[in-house]
Amino acid sequence: MILRRVISHFRKQEWTAIFIDFVIVVCGVFIGIQVANWNEARAEAEAFERKLAAVEIEMTENLQRFEIARTQLQRQYTDIAKLRAILDDPTAEASDAQVYALLWQSIRAIHVYPKRNALDVVLEDDLFSELNDRELAEEIESWDLVLADLQREQRDEINFRDGFQNP
């Protein structure tokens, strides 16, 4: 329909009408492209928000895992204290089974396996690098350092335990 009008104006050499039709077409195309870009940006932002929600769920699960490990460590410290008390007191009455159980509990390695899949996905996202939230980036770096240290300590603990049990 617009093409017919343009051809009609061109045959009659109505340059003003041709210019107006041209401007209408160019504006329409520009507006269409801009709306598509806005929709794409909105969809990317929504996808990023879903990724952040997944990170929140993942971190909540990690906190639960850390709490379980902390509880296990506290139980292990209690068992070590009981074992020390039995070994320090020559008059303490404890069966061999009790001593062996406490000894086994004291050398058990407590492991924490945190999830970080969703965090890695968010860190690789372009929108995260555009956030420019230095405080959040520093918190994530700090968490990564603590996690790396924890994993190193767990490996050291296993190596020590295995070396103790099997010299």
Side-chain angles (χ1 to χ4, degrees):
M1 185 160 149
I2 292 177
L3 186 60
R4 288 185 201 159
R5 282 194 328 208
V6 170
I7 292 172
S8 167
H9 293 310
F10 190 73
R11 286 187 184 150
K12 296 178 185 174
Q13 293 186 351
E14 295 174 354
W15 298 111
T16 306
I18 292 173
F19 177 75
I20 292 172
D21 288 342
F22 179 76
V23 168
I24 289 171
V25 169
V26 169
C27 287
V29 169
F30 176 75
I31 290 171
I33 291 173
Q34 195 64 28
V35 167
N37 289 342
W38 288 336
N39 284 337
E40 183 180 342
R42 183 185 51 78
E44 286 178 5
E46 287 176 359
F48 186 70
E49 289 296 325
R50 284 192 300 274
K51 291 175 186 176
L52 284 178
V55 169
E56 183 178 0
I57 292 168
E58 187 175 87
M59 290 300 159
T60 302
E61 288 178 20
N62 286 339
L63 287 174
Q64 291 170 350
R65 289 175 180 207
F66 291 148
E67 184 61 30
I68 290 169
R70 188 178 70 76
T71 303
Q72 290 174 342
L73 283 171
Q74 286 176 340
R75 202 171 327 133
Q76 187 176 33
Y77 294 150
T78 304
D79 291 340
I80 290 171
K82 288 178 187 176
L83 180 63
R84 281 185 177 167
I86 291 172
L87 295 176
D88 285 343
D89 185 9
T91 62
E93 294 185 21
S95 68
D96 287 345
Q98 288 174 322
V99 172
Y100 292 147
L102 289 172
L103 182 62
W104 179 250
Q105 290 297 330
S106 66
I107 62 171
R108 190 180 68 178
I110 308 295
H111 298 288
V112 178
Y113 297 106
K115 290 182 171 184
R116 60 170 295 137
N117 297 338
L119 178 63
D120 289 337
V121 168
V122 167
L123 292 177
E124 293 172 2
D125 199 302
D126 292 335
L127 287 178
F128 180 76
S129 61
E130 294 172 7
L131 282 179
N132 293 328
D133 188 350
R134 190 69 212 141
E135 184 178 322
L136 178 61
E138 287 174 0
E139 284 186 40
I140 291 173
E141 285 176 12
S142 173
W143 187 81
D144 269 345
L145 290 174
V146 169
L147 179 61
D149 193 41
L150 174 69
Q151 290 171 336
R152 181 191 53 76
E153 286 178 3
Q154 286 179 355
R155 282 191 306 271
D156 291 348
E157 177 186 11
I158 291 171
N159 290 336
F160 175 77
R161 183 203 60 197
D162 291 347
F164 177 76
Q165 289 177 336
N166 304 311

